[in-house]
Amino acid sequence: MKSYIVGNWKLNFTVGEASIYLHKLQKKIPNYRDVEVIVAPSALALQTLSLQIDRHKMKLAAQNAYHRDYGAFTGEISFSQLRGIADYCIIGHSERRYIFREDDKVIQKKVEAAVRNKITPILCVGETESERAFGETADVIRDQVIGGLAEVSEEDIDKVIIAYEPVWAISSTKSAKLAAPDEIAEVVKLIRKILKDAYGEKTAENVPILFGGSVNPSNAGAYLTVPGVNGLLVGGSSLILTEFADIIEVAKRVKS
Ligand code: PGA
């Protein structure tokens, strides 16, 4: 399986800044066949970047979209509008869940709409600090994985990526802590078991599972070698071009 390195730019960069960043990154990195590099700019920059991107080197992801294809939904953009522009879409990021109150019902509709529009969903799941402290991690992960994938058939499950992002490890969380490799391994194993029970063993092995939470060039190697982890979802460190390029380099080294 390929390794996936996703840069989630969140609400950062003007269209001009995003365009310059992409230009420089494309010049800096070679075409790595076994590392899929993906950047997720703001929705506003997607169109510009899609005209400029070298799709042999990297791909674009949206950070969010609405599940209905068209209609009276002021302020939204749809997955059908993203077709031909973005290949991936981050869905259910903890900032969407907790700031914008998206629940598993909303998220499952988005995952379904993404798959229907041939955009690969990157479904984010992860427990909060207090859920972990109360021993609820496994239940939360199970609910989010099963809830998020409820509308995905056996035939389509290999078109989905899952990102495990413990909320307490995300750098923007107050007093964020680094997740330990064995903590990640345990949850990734659980996610594979949930997938196996729902879709069968062979299929479960084909779903890429990424890790995210304060990833940077110095811990990327350790996180990429956690059993069952197929890539990284990077926030803060992806805003610094040299750091993001270094993480891609680490992924390439780990792969070979
Ligand atoms: P971080 O963000 O790398 O800044 O912790 C990751 C994310 O929120 O996806």
Side-chain angles (χ1 to χ4, degrees), residues 8 10 90 93-95 124 165 169-172 212-215 233-238:
N8 176 10
K10 307 190 181 182
I90 299 171
H93 188 279
S94 60
E95 285 147 21
C124 300
E165 294 207 307
I170 294 179
S171 67
S172 55
S214 300
V215 172
L233 179 49
V234 189
S237 198
S238 77

Side-chain angles (χ1 to χ4, degrees), residues 74 86 116 153 203:
T74 302
R116 177 162 44 75
S153 66
T203 330

Side-chain angles (χ1 to χ4, degrees), residues 3 8 17 36 39-40 47 50 55 66 68 86 92 94 98 108 112 114 119 121 137 144 153 158 186 193 255:
S3 196
N8 176 10
E17 287 164 349
E36 178 94 325
V39 291
Q47 167 77 3
S50 81
R55 286 192 158 78
Y66 190 60
R68 296 285 294 270
S94 60
Y98 300 110
Q108 71 184 228
E112 184 277 329
I119 289 167
T137 302
Q144 291 181 352
S153 66
D158 60 348
E186 202 183 317
K193 164 120 187 25
K255 222 42 216 167

Side-chain angles (χ1 to χ4, degrees), residues 188-205:
V188 168
K189 200 169 143 198
L190 171 69
I191 296 173
R192 293 249 181 247
K193 164 120 187 25
I194 297 167
L195 291 173
K196 189 176 128 189
D197 293 345
Y199 296 98
E201 181 139 26
K202 229 179 136 214
T203 330
E205 290 306 317

Side-chain angles (χ1 to χ4, degrees), residues 123-144:
L123 170 66
C124 300
V125 300
E127 79 287 2
T128 62
E129 186 169 24
S130 67
E131 286 163 347
R132 177 162 279 262
F134 285 114
E136 295 166 358
T137 302
D139 288 341
V140 170
I141 297 296
R142 188 168 291 110
D143 286 351
Q144 291 181 352

Side-chain angles (χ1 to χ4, degrees), residues 77-153:
I77 58 166
S78 67
F79 289 95
S80 59
Q81 289 173 323
L82 290 173
R83 286 182 84 146
I85 295 176
D87 290 297
Y88 296 86
C89 184
I90 299 171
I91 298 178
H93 188 279
S94 60
E95 285 147 21
R96 302 276 345 149
R97 290 179 190 266
Y98 300 110
I99 305 173
F100 300 99
R101 305 249 171 264
E102 288 188 12
D103 59 17
D104 288 323
K105 279 232 153 61
V106 168
I107 290 164
Q108 71 184 228
K109 286 183 187 158
K110 293 186 176 199
V111 170
E112 184 277 329
V115 172
R116 177 162 44 75
N117 283 289
K118 307 215 163 9
I119 289 167
T120 305
I122 302 172
L123 170 66
C124 300
V125 300
E127 79 287 2
T128 62
E129 186 169 24
S130 67
E131 286 163 347
R132 177 162 279 262
F134 285 114
E136 295 166 358
T137 302
D139 288 341
V140 170
I141 297 296
R142 188 168 291 110
D143 286 351
Q144 291 181 352
V145 172
I146 291 177
L149 297 178
E151 299 291 326
V152 178
S153 66

